[in-house]
């Protein structure tokens, strides 16, 4: 069986028009100007929109400044040693961890709600184990007697540990920064 040779594949060159760097932004600004011309907006709403737009431009500038050192390393002319040295310096100056990257309010809120429900479930289970009667074979041993027929058993102590675990879970969940 013969294996056919692959033909030499040359990239197809498509003549491209010279597109300005911010052409999309200019098109969207033109669209906003048209929409403003047809909108019925009072002064207070106009100030809010203006503040949002200026805040977006300010945040874009901040992001651009923060990414500039990394873009300086993105050159083909740098040797591997220079690239490694520059990256090591950047990581030393700008520590990156999970709290910076993956912190989203929705995720934190969902985690807080789930931990709250789990803590309340543990507390409820612990109290139910104390209040509900258990068979004598399940109540392992009595640690402290109130009278001849009643006292604190090991099962009650385990139930108290479960309750304290639920309380601790709730307290630690809401004491996070």
């Amino acid at each position: 069986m013969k294996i056919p040779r692959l033909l030499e594949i040359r990239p197809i060159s498509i003549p491209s028009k010279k597109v300005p760097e911010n052409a999309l932004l200019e098109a969207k600004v033109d669209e906003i100007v048209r929409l403003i011309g047809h909108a019925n907006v009072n002064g207070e709403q106009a100030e809010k929109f203006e503040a949002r737009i200026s805040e977006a431009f300010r945040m874009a500038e901040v992001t651009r400044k923060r990414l500039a050192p990394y873009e300086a390393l993105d050159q083909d002319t740098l040797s591997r040693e220079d690239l490694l040295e520059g990256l090591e310096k950047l990581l030393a100056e700008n520590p990156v961890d999970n709290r910076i990257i993956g912190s989203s309010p929705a995720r934190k809120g969902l985690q807080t709600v789930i931990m709250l429900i789990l803590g309340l479930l543990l507390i409820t289970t612990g109290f139910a184990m104390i209040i509900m009667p258990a068979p004598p074979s399940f109540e392992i041993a009595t640690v402290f007697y109130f009278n001849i027929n009643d006292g604190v058993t090991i099962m009650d102590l385990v139930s108290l540990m479960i309750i304290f675990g639920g309380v601790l879970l709730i307290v630690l969940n809401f004491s996070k920064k």
Side-chain angles (χ1 to χ4, degrees):
M1 176 175 169
K2 272 189 155 182
I3 300 175
R5 287 187 166 198
L6 293 176
L7 297 173
E8 185 178 322
I9 301 174
R10 293 184 202 153
I12 301 172
S13 62
I14 300 173
S16 62
K17 299 176 186 174
K18 194 71 172 173
V19 178
E21 190 174 314
N22 293 324
L24 182 61
L25 182 62
E26 288 178 18
K28 293 299 179 181
V29 169
D30 290 340
E31 184 179 350
I32 288 175
V33 169
R34 271 195 315 273
L35 288 173
I36 290 173
H38 297 298
N40 185 12
V41 179
N42 61 18
E44 184 179 321
Q45 289 175 331
E47 287 177 7
K48 287 181 183 177
F49 291 141
E50 185 177 348
R52 284 176 56 194
I53 290 172
S54 63
E55 177 67 18
F57 278 116
R58 189 186 66 76
M59 290 303 294
E61 183 64 28
V62 168
T63 304
R64 197 172 15 262
K65 285 181 182 177
R66 290 173 69 190
L67 291 178
Y70 294 99
E71 289 175 348
L73 282 178
D74 192 23
Q75 298 175 5
D76 292 335
T77 59
L78 292 176
S79 67
R80 288 182 182 247
E81 291 83 20
D82 293 339
L83 184 64
L84 248 149
E85 187 177 307
L87 187 60
E88 180 182 0
K89 181 181 174 188
L90 279 176
L91 287 175
E93 292 172 357
N94 306 310
V96 178
D97 62 355
N98 290 346
R99 282 179 259 155
I100 296 171
I101 295 171
S103 63
S104 68
R107 187 173 184 175
K108 285 183 180 179
L110 181 65
Q111 180 182 4
T112 303
V113 168
I114 289 174
M115 296 301 269
L116 176 69
I117 291 171
L118 186 62
L120 291 174
L121 187 66
L122 283 172
I123 292 171
T124 305
T125 304
F127 277 121
M129 287 174 65
I130 291 174
I131 294 171
M132 293 174 62
S137 62
F138 194 63
E139 297 201 13
I140 301 169
T142 304
V143 178
F144 179 76
Y145 285 97
F146 295 127
N147 58 30
I148 195 73
N149 295 326
D150 197 19
V152 177
T153 63
I154 292 179
M155 183 179 143
D156 294 334
L157 294 177
V158 170
S159 301
L160 284 175
M161 286 176 35
I162 291 172
I163 291 170
F164 289 139
V167 170
L168 181 67
L169 193 65
I170 290 173
V171 168
L172 289 179
N173 189 34
F174 285 110
S175 68
K176 289 182 184 176
K177 292 183 180 179

